Amino acid sequence: MTTMAERTQTTSGARAEGTKTLTLGKAVNEGLRAAMRRDDKVLLMGEDIGPLGGVFRVTDGLQAEFGEERVVDTPLAESGIVGTAIGLAMRGYRPVCEIQFDGFVFPAFNQITTQLAKIHNRTRGAIDMPVVIRIPYGGGIGAVEHHSESPEALFAHTAGLRVVSPSSPQDAYTMIQEAIASPDPVVFFEPKGRYWAKGEVDLDVPVGSATLNAAQVVRTGTDVTLVAYGPSVETALKTAAALAEEGRSAEVVDLRAISPLDTGAVVASVRKTGRCVVIHEAPVFFGAGAEIAARVTEECFYALESPVLRVGGFHTPYPVAKHEHEYLPSVDRVLDAVDRAFAH
Amino acid sequence: MTTTNGSNEAIPTLQLLDPEGRRVTTRGTKGYRDRAADLTPENLRGMYRDMVLTRRFDEEATSLQRQGELALYAPSRGQEAAQVGSAYALRPQDFVFPSYREHGVLQVRGVDTVDRLRFFRGSDHGGWDPNEHNAHVYTVVIGAHALHATGYAMGVQRDGTPLDKHDGTAVITYFGDGATSQGDVNEAMVYATVNQAPVVFFLQNNQWAISEPTSRQTRTPLYRRGEAFGMPSLRVDGNDVLAVYAATQEALERARLGQGPSFIEAFTYRMGAHTTSDDPTRYRTTDQEEVWRRRDPIDRLAALLRAEGELDDEFVAQVQASADELGVGLRSGVRALDGGAPVSTFDDVYATPHGIVASERAWYEAYEAGDPPAEQYAIAETAQGGAR
């Protein structure tokens, strides 16, 4: 676990030709490029990822650099993308699949949960499944149905998968490379609403710094712990800034991964602050926040000043774009939860 | 030979051996007869032996299930020619993706008989190392492995393996008539043809998907599905080991030469139940079973060998002795399978340490040792800290 302050120092200390300001989407692009240059077994597969560069341009320029055999425009069939990626992995390749939008992963759900997640176990470790499933996810972009969902809990519930989501350009750049290097399958959720957010990226950061397993404290504080990942980290940080104006000190933990779950980082923080609010865009009901709340309650029972609270989506279909900002966990709704936590 | 699909439409079907075991010399089949002619009497006796051993394996496994030694078993009785004939056309470098009824294919591929029953014993989710035999473990979700085979073949294409009749590499996937309705099988055919991947789709149409006849899966003869996707497709008499061999060899050769995928429908019959949990008397007649018993694939090959003076009583006795030996080894081997220690459930969930699995394992081990920790997640933290 590193703090943002520590990392910023490291990054700025190394600021030379290796550091650039990139959007999160471009950081994924650079991470893919670096992984493909490093290992010619890395392949990209997906719909419209070739000349178009993907609907979000995350694979922009990669087919021109690596050719059609390594950046493959697939037929429009998601189960086929993942199913053939499994076969390619058995033959020694490291496929990175792009699912165009969150709501379109379900045709591939069977391949991901019954096959990809289990083949290593089914063969008693004889076969590894180094496959990455990239999924632009989350809302806030004013999209139509099936283009704004957060299905991460469905995958975290399946043993054999790693489920991660970067919140910053630096993490996007590092984590995509670590996901590709992982011998385990990784479902890589990219916060599409944050694709255009800019940040400093150290392009020389070593792959293997374990970002896939280790949460990081992105803001230190003493009164309440805000736990978030992916797009909600920004919401948590804005909430913490607002709380600071009110004289309350919030600590923000960016989980980075929900499988595995870095319980230790969250517990250490809550034992210090005594209060915990979990934020995610996915529905609260049976969401990742429920698991975090249960673990925090079991481990921090005597340190807690109030129940663990959750802020997230409702148990409804993702709403029409006109109403999505009421559905998504806003700064105001997180502030409301923090107020309730302090009411105890 | 032609058969009907229930309507009066005749379906062209390659046959080189009639049900009485006589070589058929129909016009237009010379290419296939030439391929089958490559099989020496020694090869044919080898096929006969593997078919007999496969049937014995079937009978032994069924008995073991009846004795409570297996949780389940899916018999292959009646499909020995389709399986053994096609597997004889494979070369060592080729890779096989079976479903879960390909006992004859695994017999030819050299997968240990006991290993083949680990799954059905409930002591393993797989049973062998796929890379040892170039044969993947069973896939139980119907048709899912057709995509794995296609992806594997796309990998072969990217490896730059030689495009050669003998040294090229081909992939074959086995599935049934029920699986042809699955989206994954159809997506696999899209991916295979678009990419011209070196994969052979080997359909064993055994006419029954548990209780549903093929008429519940299709209005069109199934081999025409392959054609529609844009690959050479052929229907063969699946109980004719020579026709199956010749057709598969042709398709594999096409794959090895970089000429893309093929589709073979081996028209056969599932003489037994779907699995040991099934009761075919509820959905089909014994009359139909009797018709197919007269088309038994082993009897057919035996008749050919006898007519050509290649099957004497001594060889038959030798094969019988091998079958008895297989039975003895299988019975004792299966009874000895125990699945290992319960804690092995936590093995190989991930290739690299995963904090949640590590913490649950640590807790379980302490619990089993009679020393459950007061706080479950006190251990969780330690395990996670130590095994990120």
Side-chain angles (χ1 to χ4, degrees):
Chain A
M1 192 174 77
T2 54
T3 66
M4 181 66 108
E6 282 163 0
R7 208 191 54 190
T8 306
Q9 274 175 1
T10 313
T11 307
S12 49
R15 187 194 296 269
E17 67 267 10
T19 300
K20 276 189 194 168
T21 301
L22 298 177
T23 63
L24 192 149
K26 183 65 178 165
V28 177
N29 176 277
E30 290 295 343
L32 292 170
R33 188 188 315 276
M36 294 186 81
R37 284 180 179 168
R38 196 179 299 123
D39 182 355
D40 64 11
K41 294 290 187 186
V42 177
L43 309 175
L44 308 188
M45 306 169 67
E47 298 156 6
D48 309 299
I49 67 168
L52 183 67
V55 294
F56 290 106
R57 309 294 181 265
V58 172
T59 56
D60 186 38
L62 297 178
Q63 193 179 65
E65 180 171 347
F66 299 104
E68 292 180 13
E69 293 292 294
R70 294 190 63 199
V71 180
V72 185
D73 262 338
T74 65
L76 215 163
E78 289 79 9
S79 189
I81 295 173
V82 177
T84 54
I86 289 169
L88 280 155
M90 287 182 69
R91 186 70 186 181
Y93 289 85
R94 306 186 88 85
V96 182
C97 305
E98 177 173 306
I99 301 294
Q100 202 158 70
F101 282 91
D102 35 65
F104 303 148
V105 72
F106 297 104
F109 195 69
N110 169 53
Q111 284 288 344
I112 296 172
T113 55
T114 74
Q115 305 301 315
L116 182 63
K118 291 181 174 169
I119 286 176
H120 181 73
N121 183 258
R122 190 176 295 152
T123 59
R124 288 201 184 266
I127 294 178
D128 286 345
M129 277 290 122
V131 176
V132 178
I133 316 280
R134 293 182 40 242
I135 309 177
Y137 84 123
I141 64 163
V144 295
E145 196 183 10
H146 314 298
H147 291 68
S148 306
E149 297 170 9
S150 298
E152 63 272 19
L154 297 173
F155 297 94
H157 204 63
T158 300
L161 301 175
R162 293 174 179 275
V163 182
V164 308
S165 181
S167 66
S168 67
Q170 178 70 65
D171 269 2
Y173 175 74
T174 313
M175 286 169 68
I176 190 63
Q177 292 180 72
E178 296 196 345
I180 293 167
S182 168
D184 290 315
V186 179
V187 188
F188 194 88
F189 281 99
E190 298 173 5
K192 74 168 88 76
R194 303 280 303 154
Y195 267 149
W196 300 272
K198 286 182 179 170
E200 293 283 287
V201 178
D202 174 3
L203 295 171
D204 304 318
V205 72
V207 175
S209 45
T211 52
L212 302 187
N213 298 331
Q216 74 168 343
V217 175
V218 290
R219 179 182 173 121
T220 53
T222 53
D223 302 334
V224 59
T225 300
L226 304 179
V227 179
Y229 54 89
S232 299
V233 172
E234 178 67 11
T235 309
L237 287 169
K238 282 181 177 160
T239 307
L243 285 167
E245 287 176 21
E246 297 175 5
R248 283 175 176 158
S249 167
E251 181 148 300
V252 178
V253 179
D254 176 359
L255 290 175
R256 287 174 162 159
I258 61 168
S259 179
L261 190 63
D262 189 354
T263 312
V266 179
V267 164
S269 177
V270 178
R271 284 190 180 153
K272 183 175 74 174
T273 63
R275 292 180 177 85
C276 182
V277 176
V278 189
I279 310 155
H280 52 60
E281 293 191 7
V284 162
F285 188 62
F286 277 90
E291 180 63 31
I292 293 161
R295 286 177 183 264
V296 167
T297 305
E298 286 176 46
E299 283 196 61
C300 306
F301 192 70
Y302 296 108
L304 283 172
E305 301 288 342
S306 72
V308 180
L309 298 176
R310 294 166 287 161
V311 183
F314 303 117
H315 193 55
T316 65
Y318 192 88
V320 294
K322 298 283 185 204
H323 303 319
E324 69 175 331
H325 290 289
E326 283 68 44
Y327 172 95
L328 291 168
S330 60
V331 171
D332 281 345
R333 277 177 54 205
V334 182
L335 285 171
D336 170 70
V338 171
D339 284 346
R340 281 185 279 129
F342 274 94
H344 282 273
Chain B
M1 177 181 112
T2 57
T3 59
T4 63
N5 64 350
S7 69
N8 291 323
E9 184 189 357
I11 307 171
T13 305
L14 176 69
Q15 189 186 64
L16 300 181
L17 208 53
D18 72 14
E20 282 69 47
R22 293 174 302 228
R23 291 185 191 262
V24 178
T25 53
T26 330
R27 210 142 40 109
T29 61
K30 183 165 186 312
Y32 295 106
R33 279 183 272 137
D34 288 349
R35 288 178 186 278
D38 289 347
L39 293 166
T40 63
E42 196 53 40
N43 293 150
L44 292 173
R45 280 196 295 270
M47 285 175 154
Y48 169 83
R49 182 175 183 277
D50 279 327
M51 288 164 71
V52 170
L53 294 184
T54 300
R55 183 158 297 181
R56 182 59 172 269
F57 175 85
D58 226 48
E59 290 162 355
E60 294 287 344
T62 303
S63 300
L64 284 165
Q65 195 281 334
R66 295 299 181 230
Q67 293 160 29
E69 298 291 348
L70 298 177
L72 184 76
Y73 179 69
S76 60
R77 189 181 186 90
Q79 298 176 222
E80 292 89 349
Q83 298 186 2
V84 170
S86 57
Y88 260 76
L90 292 165
R91 299 182 68 82
Q93 70 271 20
D94 297 337
F95 208 98
V96 177
F97 286 82
S99 65
Y100 48 77
R101 201 189 296 282
E102 278 68 46
H103 313 304
V105 176
L106 299 173
Q107 166 72 24
V108 177
R109 218 55 190 160
V111 179
D112 179 76
T113 52
V114 176
D115 286 348
R116 285 186 243 152
L117 291 180
R118 287 174 184 273
F119 174 87
F120 293 110
R121 171 78 165 169
S123 65
D124 234 293
H125 287 318
W128 60 92
D129 178 349
N131 291 317
E132 256 179 50
H133 306 280
N134 275 15
H136 194 35
V137 294
Y138 305 127
T139 297
V140 178
V141 178
I142 300 299
H145 60 294
L147 280 167
H148 308 161
T150 303
Y152 192 94
M154 288 163 65
V156 169
Q157 284 181 302
R158 283 163 175 74
D159 284 349
T161 49
L163 299 179
D164 182 89
K165 214 163 124 170
H166 302 294
D167 297 332
T169 300
V171 182
I172 189 166
T173 179
Y174 291 87
F175 53 96
D177 38 300
T180 61
S181 300
Q182 286 281 355
D184 276 1
V185 170
N186 289 275
E187 289 190 24
M189 291 197 276
V190 170
Y191 276 70
T193 48
V194 164
N195 290 288
Q196 284 297 285
V199 56
V200 175
F201 292 91
F202 194 94
L203 159 65
Q204 291 172 84
N205 178 356
N206 69 16
Q207 307 187 50
W208 292 96
I210 305 189
S211 68
E212 296 192 7
T214 312
S215 59
R216 300 307 305 163
Q217 313 295 338
T218 185
R219 287 284 295 170
T220 189
L222 287 168
Y223 80 96
R224 292 182 61 190
R225 294 271 180 92
E227 274 175 16
F229 284 96
M231 66 183 120
S233 303
L234 182 68
R235 190 182 203 247
V236 301
D237 179 342
N239 286 14
D240 168 357
V241 76
L242 297 188
V244 170
Y245 170 83
T248 313
Q249 193 207 50
E250 177 191 52
L252 290 168
E253 199 172 286
R254 205 177 276 137
R256 290 196 194 102
L257 288 168
Q259 294 167 0
S262 306
F263 187 101
I264 295 170
E265 175 187 2
F267 188 69
T268 181
Y269 189 75
R270 194 193 75 207
M271 285 166 76
H274 164 67
T275 68
T276 44
S277 301
D278 179 28
D279 176 10
T281 63
R282 292 178 71 96
Y283 54 81
R284 70 185 192 189
T285 64
T286 49
D287 287 356
Q288 188 191 46
E289 291 175 0
E290 186 49 39
V291 167
W292 281 90
R293 202 167 290 125
R294 290 198 295 273
R295 298 177 190 170
D296 187 292
I298 300 180
D299 291 350
R300 196 183 302 199
L301 178 59
L304 170 80
L305 285 167
R306 281 201 192 280
E308 297 188 350
E310 301 294 350
L311 193 72
D312 56 32
D313 293 344
E314 191 189 333
F315 181 72
V316 170
Q318 273 174 22
V319 171
Q320 202 50 49
S322 298
D324 292 344
E325 201 180 311
L326 180 151
V328 171
L330 198 63
R331 291 191 294 270
S332 61
V334 164
R335 289 193 175 103
L337 296 175
D338 68 359
V343 74
S344 66
T345 297
F346 296 98
D347 292 344
D348 303 316
V349 181
Y350 293 87
T352 50
H354 185 283
I356 302 299
V357 178
S359 66
E360 291 181 354
R361 180 187 191 120
W363 179 87
Y364 175 80
E365 284 176 331
Y367 176 80
E368 280 294 282
D371 183 25
E375 272 190 73
Q376 180 165 345
Y377 294 104
I379 280 189
E381 273 181 274
T382 314
Q384 194 152 7
R388 261 180 197 152

